[in-house]
Amino acid sequence: MKLRRRDAALGLAAWAGLGIPMMAWGEGPLAAPNVVLITPKLVTSGQPSAEALARLGEQGFQAVVYLAPLSLPNAVKDEPGILARQHIEFVNIPINFGKPSAEDFEQVAATLDRWQDRKVLVHCEVNMRASSMVFLYRTLRLKEKPEVAYEAVEKVWSPRGVWRELIVAQLKQGGVAFEPY
């Protein structure tokens, strides 16, 4: 099953034509594509396997934000239950990949604001939604330098189209001068 999810993620990346560099699947403590450690308390990734989700409590995670619809084919259908059994809080913000919005960002930011003192995993299918939204959060809410925060995004992809437009618009609205590359 892990291989099938990996293949699905790679297929999505190829389909999108984005040239996404995929990190090794399942290496290290979190079995998921494109795992990026932002801080010891904030991690982004693509879809973890059910087995990896079942071990998040052992790794100290206290909250998970999933930024894709639970109905996607490679979503872990029992993710909310797997996390609840470990007393890990779960929020699903089902961002339409083809139409991300400022409202989506505000939901993500409000959730991360509430959980600043917890160890949080923010994930989606491949870490494109997650890396982009966490970049905006770090830049606009935490006031980190965009050049530094964007390094986590470029480990996963280079946002184009509607994602680049959203990032540029949010940065402009927040008075941040930065051009994503």
Side-chain angles (χ1 to χ4, degrees):
M1 183 144 201
K2 285 183 189 176
L3 182 59
R4 214 170 38 206
R5 285 214 182 101
R6 178 181 180 271
D7 291 344
L10 289 171
L12 175 63
W15 171 80
L18 300 169
I20 302 164
M22 301 296 290
M23 292 173 60
W25 178 271
E27 292 182 5
L30 181 58
N34 294 323
V35 176
V36 180
L37 176 69
I38 306 298
T39 70
K41 287 193 163 204
L42 182 59
V43 177
T44 65
S45 79
Q47 179 65 60
S49 65
E51 296 81 11
L53 290 169
R55 291 190 306 272
L56 289 180
E58 296 168 10
Q59 297 172 35
F61 285 94
Q62 299 161 300
V64 172
V65 184
Y66 180 43
L67 300 181
L70 287 166
S71 60
L72 291 175
N74 63 335
V76 174
K77 300 303 178 209
D78 191 32
E79 182 167 345
I82 292 168
L83 298 171
R85 287 188 286 280
Q86 300 170 79
H87 308 285
I88 295 174
E89 291 192 61
F90 175 75
V91 168
N92 178 225
I93 303 170
I95 299 172
N96 177 338
F97 189 79
K99 195 175 179 181
S101 69
E103 292 77 22
D104 293 329
F105 169 66
E106 288 303 323
Q107 284 187 302
V108 171
T111 301
L112 293 176
D113 282 344
R114 283 195 318 271
W115 290 346
Q116 277 190 358
D117 62 333
R118 299 178 187 183
K119 186 172 182 180
V120 179
L121 171 64
V122 180
H123 80 88
C124 55
E125 287 182 285
V126 185
N127 198 2
M128 294 175 0
R129 293 172 180 95
S131 65
S132 299
M133 290 295 181
V134 170
F135 161 73
L136 288 172
Y137 178 74
R138 293 172 64 198
T139 303
L140 297 173
R141 293 290 176 93
L142 301 181
K143 305 300 183 194
E144 293 182 27
K145 291 182 179 180
E147 299 81 11
V148 174
Y150 198 74
E151 290 173 1
V153 176
E154 70 178 338
K155 288 179 181 178
V156 179
W157 73 314
S158 181
R160 299 286 180 248
V162 294
W163 280 93
R164 187 174 191 289
E165 291 168 15
L166 174 72
I167 290 169
V168 168
Q170 290 297 297
L171 292 174
K172 184 177 180 180
Q173 181 180 331
V176 176
F178 177 76
E179 193 67 29
Y181 45 90

